[in-house]
Each structure stands twice: as C-alpha cells, then as structure tokens.
Amino acid sequence: MTTTPGDAAVPAQPVEPVTPAPPPAAAAAPTPVPPAEAAAPTPLEATVAAGYAFEGQALELGGLMLDATTLSPVHVRIPLSMVNRHGLVAGATGTGKTKTLQLLTEQLSAAGVPVFAADIKGDLSGLATPGEGGDKTAARASSVGQTWTATGFPVEYYALGGEGTGIPLRVTMSAFGPVLLSKVLGLNDTQESSLGLVFHYADKAGLPLLDLADLRAVVSHLTSDEGKPELKELGGLSSATAGVILRELITFSDQGADAFFGEPEFESADLLQTTPDGKGLISLIELPGLQDRPAIFSTFLMWLLADLFHDLPEVGDVDKPKLVFFFDEAHLLFNDASEAFLDQIAQTVRLIRSKGVGVFFVTQSPTDVPDEVLAQLGSRVQHQLRAHTPNDAKALKATVNTYPTSDYDDLGEVITSLGIGEAVVTVMNERGAPTPVAWTRLRAPESLMGPSDPAAMAATVAASPRHAKYAVGVDRESAREKLAARLEEGAAKDAAEMEAAEGSKPVPKPKPAAKPKPRKEEPSVVSDVVNSSAFKDLMRTATREIVRGMFKTGRR
C-alpha cells in the first residue's frame, strides 16, 4: 500500500485466502413421467360395467360395443340365478339367433343345468360335436376375451312319435286330458264341457283312451242309439256338438297328431338328467316339417310344460334353474292360437318359475310373442331387425318400446345396424331390476355350428338307456277294441236269440198235394227280423268292426 508523508502508518490487514467458487450445482434430475394413463371409461362403459357386475355365477354373453367398430373391455352377462325368470332371443333370419341359443345351452350344461330345446332345423344337433374353430372363430373369441376350446356336450335326441332320428315321444289321450285338448282344438265352453263328459264316461266305463282313434270311437258310440242311454244320466251329448268335436279331431289327426298319442307315455322327469361329471344333459327334440303342422308343436309344448308343472315340487328362488326350455321358432306356438290357449301359456310361464324352470322363446320379432307372455320374460337378446316395409317399421318401433330407457340416442337405429353375431341385450339383475341396454358382440359357441353326423346321432340314440324304455310302442286293448268287442257280442247275442225263436216256432204241416192252388207262405219271425232296417244297420256295423279287428286297419 502507498503512504504519503505525515500520514500515520496503517498496519496492513492480512489478506484472506480466496476460496475458489464452488462448481455450479448440477441440474436436478427430471421427474419420471408416468406412462400415459388409459382413457377414462365413457359414461356408457361405466353404466354397463356397473349394471352387469354380478356376485354369483353368470352366463357370459360377450363384450360391450361402443359403436359398429369399437369394442370395450366391459363384459355382458346373465346371472345364472335369474335364468328361471325366462327370456327372449329375437332377430331376423340369418342374424345368429340359433348360435346364441347354442352359446347359452353350452354354458348351462357346463354349469350342471339340464336343457330342453326344440331342434326344428337340425342345427342344434352339433352341440354333441366339438367345434371346428378357424380364423374367424379365433378372432371373435380374442376380441371378447374368450378362451375358446372345442368342446362337445352331452346330448339326448328325441323325435315326436318316432318321426325322425331320436327316441319316440308319446302321451296317452287320457293323460293329455279334456281341458288341454279343448284349448288346442279351439272348442268353446259348451264343447269343452261335452268333451269332459266323454272323458268322464270313458273313465267310468273302463275304456282306456290311449290315442285319437279311441276318443273318436267313444264319441261316435255315445251319439249312437246304443250309447245314448249310457250318457243320458250325465247330461247327454248333442249330435251337433259331437259333430264339431269329431271334425276337429280329424283335422288334428291330419296334422300328424296320431304319432304323438299312444304308449309308452313319456315321463317328463326324464328331462332332468345330469351326467356323472356334473354336466346338464341337453335334450333335443327333432320336429321335421313342423311349419306344416304347427298344432303338433303347440300341443307337445303345452302338455310337457303342464306335466312338468304338475310333477315338479315348488323350489322358489334357487342358485341355478332345475331345467331350461328353449323354444326355437316360437311364432309357430302362437300363430292362429285361440285366446284360451294363449291364456294357458301365459299362466304356465308365470307359475312354472317357482318350479325352477326357465323358458326362453326364440323367434324373429318380439311382436310374435303375446303381450301377456312377453311381460314375463326377464332377459332380452335382440339381434338385427330389418325395416324394409311399413310393417317392419311398426314392429321395430314396438320392439324399441319394450326396452328400458337406454343411453343410445336412437336404439332403433342400433338394432337395424347390428352385425351378424351382435345383439342388443338387457337382462334381470340379481335384485330383479333390468340391466342397462348393451350393444353386445356375442361369444362364439365351442361346439359344432351345424348338424352332427347322422351316424353318430343314431349311435347316441341306440346307446341311450331311455331308448329301451320308449322305443317300442305298446298296443294294448283300449277303448276302440272294447267297443268293437261289445258290438260283436251284441250281434252274436241277437243272432242266438233269433235262432232260438226260429227253433221254438211250430213247423207248419205240409199241405195236401191234391190242392191245385198252393197258399202263400207267411213270413216267419226270423224273416221279419232279418229284413228289418235296424238289424241290417247293426250287422253292417258289427261286420265292419270285425273286419278291422282281423286286419288291424286303423290301429296305431
């Protein structure tokens, strides 16, 4: 430091060592950026996911579709415990109804629930054969999160009256009963009451009614001179009413009902079978040419449901149904049906739920099903409907009105734009409330989507323990044979009495030959009787019945 004269000297300050500046702090490491979060579920996805989240076992239908090309991970299902609240599978021809029926049947069988289905087209026989798979099947299964495995299921084949490949199904006329028969024939109250008298008389007289021929024989007998006195004390049977009943029975017979009535009678409890490994047995009834004979279809279904309702005990609410019915081509059940018949169907569907039986109708449009029945169906699987005509548009509007409020702006447009294997679904949840309406891509069946090999079906039928029970028809003596025997006995008795009368009459002495003018011989008692119109009618009837007895024409 420099100083001037006179300045006081200032001691020098020690210089502090210079501390080197610390290196600049390293930049802070960037916060890891989390991967992009999955897009939040749409309101529709959230609603459907919550609506189909069931606690118990469920049948998997498929995945929720957001639009025609976008599939969400939300699953659409039916609670197994609610299957006995019945359902409907509807849609135009070729939209996948039968495959949906097949999908539901497979899962029910796997869950240990026996299934009955009317196999009109023969497609359902493939349930017994493992599926063939393929690229399309694999792609569909992958898209809906399905682990697809080719699987065959236990199947029993039945045939109505033995027509077709299957164990014959028959029922006796007595078991069918006058009330159900009257409803099927469309008889009015008076005619139904008269038919009830016929059944009552047959039971009282020990005349078994096994088939239609027996019933016709009894009605004819009671309107004849020989039978009128026997029924008079019961109130009588007018010729006009008897004529109506006979005409309806003939029409019914022309539709093929003769094959259905007879013995041995089918026991409906045989449908409730499971296999040793716990799978439900699938009972398929073949109904060839049914479109030409709808009365046979409705008759069989009605009797079988009524018989099950009569025999099965009350079970109330169960974890899974005891049996599930699938009625394919259900419009044949309701077409041209009387109001009384429809009322009976509605009542049976409503009450059979408590027996643990679920009923699913498969048809083209919900409008095919009467309102009284439609109101009982808790699950709806609606495939595509077409609106090409004014009637189609009307049916579409009616279909949309049967669904609960949905999140879709135009449900009718959704229904008409559905692809094959897609459906609009709503079911009944475990609380008994309807689930949200869901556009669903359905899963692929794991069994063969087509008919099984006829030889394999025949082998299955032959190996069934129920084939030995029902295969051979029984033709025991019934009302017709007993009435014919009565006529024969009556004719023989009359002939014997006439012979006795002829033998007891004094033989006239011969006239002297010398008389040139012979007297005219007076007619004998035998001649009077034999030449009478009453005796001729009796002998014609007796001869006709004797000939039928010998050649067995007209028998089952």
Side-chain angles (χ1 to χ4, degrees):
M1 179 178 62
T2 306
T3 60
T4 60
D7 289 341
V10 178
Q13 299 294 327
V15 178
E16 295 180 2
V18 177
T19 304
T31 304
V33 179
E37 297 180 359
T42 66
L44 176 62
E45 288 178 288
T47 300
V48 172
Y52 289 85
F54 308 128
E55 296 180 358
Q57 191 173 359
L59 308 180
E60 297 289 343
L61 291 179
L64 173 68
M65 297 190 68
L66 302 181
D67 54 45
T69 58
T70 308
L71 185 66
S72 79
V74 177
H75 287 232
V76 179
R77 309 183 296 164
I78 302 178
L80 185 60
S81 61
M82 304 305 288
V83 172
N84 68 332
R85 303 301 176 95
H86 315 312
L88 174 73
V89 179
T93 300
T95 57
K97 298 188 303 295
T98 302
K99 301 302 179 287
T100 299
L101 191 159
Q102 189 172 349
L103 173 66
L104 293 173
T105 299
E106 291 177 352
Q107 296 186 62
L108 287 167
S109 176
V113 178
V115 175
F116 169 86
D119 189 13
I120 297 173
K121 295 175 288 188
D123 295 348
L124 293 177
S125 62
L127 281 160
T129 306
E132 296 177 346
D135 294 339
K136 290 184 178 180
T137 299
R140 174 171 289 268
S142 175
S143 69
V144 296
Q146 175 187 6
T147 303
W148 191 90
T149 304
T151 308
F153 296 84
V155 175
E156 190 88 282
Y157 300 104
Y158 291 97
L160 194 60
E163 296 185 4
T165 302
I167 301 166
L169 291 182
R170 306 181 187 90
V171 59
T172 64
M173 184 60 69
S174 295
F176 201 68
V179 175
L180 185 57
L181 182 61
S182 296
K183 294 187 183 302
V184 172
L185 297 179
L187 303 182
N188 60 32
D189 292 342
T190 301
Q191 295 158 354
E192 179 179 338
S193 177
S194 298
L195 186 60
L197 290 178
V198 175
F199 275 76
H200 177 76
Y201 166 77
D203 290 340
K204 184 178 179 181
L207 299 173
L209 297 177
L210 303 184
D211 53 21
L212 286 174
D214 290 330
L215 183 57
R216 290 198 301 267
V218 172
V219 174
S220 299
H221 170 72
L222 292 175
T223 56
S224 66
D225 293 337
E226 295 80 8
K228 285 181 179 178
E230 299 182 61
L231 194 62
K232 186 176 181 180
E233 61 186 42
L234 297 177
L237 180 65
S238 71
S239 298
T241 300
V244 172
I245 294 174
L246 286 173
R247 286 195 299 272
E248 294 297 335
L249 288 175
I250 291 172
T251 302
F252 194 38
S253 176
D254 290 342
Q255 292 179 340
D258 285 308
F260 177 45
F261 293 102
E263 290 185 316
E265 184 175 88
F266 181 70
E267 298 178 14
S268 56
D270 283 339
L271 298 177
L272 280 69
Q273 303 284 338
T274 55
T275 60
D277 60 355
K279 290 184 178 180
L281 183 63
I282 302 169
S283 299
L284 300 179
I285 177 171
E286 183 178 354
L287 301 170
L290 187 62
Q291 290 81 350
D292 300 327
R293 302 180 297 171
I296 302 300
F297 181 51
S298 59
T299 299
F300 170 73
L301 296 181
M302 197 62 215
W303 170 76
L304 193 55
L305 279 177
D307 194 59
L308 281 167
F309 180 76
H310 179 271
D311 292 345
L312 293 178
E314 294 279 345
V315 296
D317 294 327
V318 290
D319 293 336
K320 62 182 180 181
K322 301 295 183 183
L323 178 71
V324 175
F325 268 68
F326 286 100
F327 293 149
D328 200 1
E329 304 293 343
H331 64 279
L332 296 177
L333 176 65
F334 302 111
N335 283 353
D336 301 323
S338 65
E339 289 297 326
F341 180 79
L342 296 178
D343 290 343
Q344 186 75 7
I345 287 283
Q347 182 180 11
T348 303
V349 171
R350 181 169 60 253
L351 297 178
I352 204 169
R353 178 196 65 79
S354 63
K355 305 282 187 172
V357 177
V359 182
F360 275 69
F361 296 100
V362 184
T363 187
Q364 294 188 8
S365 171
T367 56
D368 294 335
V369 182
D371 292 344
E372 295 80 2
V373 177
L374 193 62
Q376 309 298 323
L377 310 182
S379 298
R380 309 278 183 88
V381 181
Q382 178 66 61
H383 290 267
Q384 183 194 88
L385 284 179
R386 303 181 180 113
H388 300 320
T389 68
N391 286 337
D392 291 342
K394 184 178 179 181
L396 176 62
K397 183 177 180 181
T399 298
V400 172
N401 290 337
T402 64
Y403 278 84
T405 303
S406 74
D407 290 342
Y408 297 100
D409 295 332
D410 189 343
L411 184 58
E413 183 179 352
V414 172
I415 292 175
T416 57
S417 63
L418 292 170
I420 297 175
E422 298 175 2
V424 168
V425 176
T426 180
V427 305
M428 188 174 288
N429 65 21
E430 293 166 319
R431 297 186 300 105
T435 59
V437 177
W439 182 352
T440 307
R441 175 178 291 177
L442 299 169
R443 290 187 165 208
E446 296 182 337
S447 57
L448 181 65
M449 290 186 280
S452 285
D453 178 59
M457 294 172 60
T460 300
V461 171
S464 170
R466 281 159 288 280
H467 181 263
K469 183 178 180 180
Y470 297 115
V472 181
V474 177
D475 188 12
R476 64 184 175 94
E477 188 180 42
S478 56
R480 181 177 180 178
E481 288 79 11
K482 289 190 175 185
L483 289 174
R486 284 188 188 181
L487 288 174
E488 294 175 14
E489 291 173 2
K493 182 178 179 181
D494 290 342
E497 290 177 353
M498 286 185 285
E499 289 179 2
E502 178 68 20
S504 62
K505 182 177 180 179
V507 180
K509 295 180 179 180
K511 301 297 179 181
K515 291 186 178 182
K517 187 177 180 180
R519 294 178 58 188
K520 184 178 180 181
E521 184 177 352
E522 296 182 0
S524 66
V525 174
V526 173
S527 178
D528 291 338
V529 174
V530 170
N531 291 326
S532 68
S533 59
F535 179 79
K536 290 179 180 179
D537 290 341
L538 175 64
M539 291 306 295
R540 277 197 298 268
T541 303
T543 301
R544 183 169 62 250
E545 296 299 335
I546 290 171
V547 170
R548 283 180 175 174
M550 289 187 296
F551 295 106
K552 299 184 179 182
T553 58
R555 291 192 177 193
R556 291 193 311 279

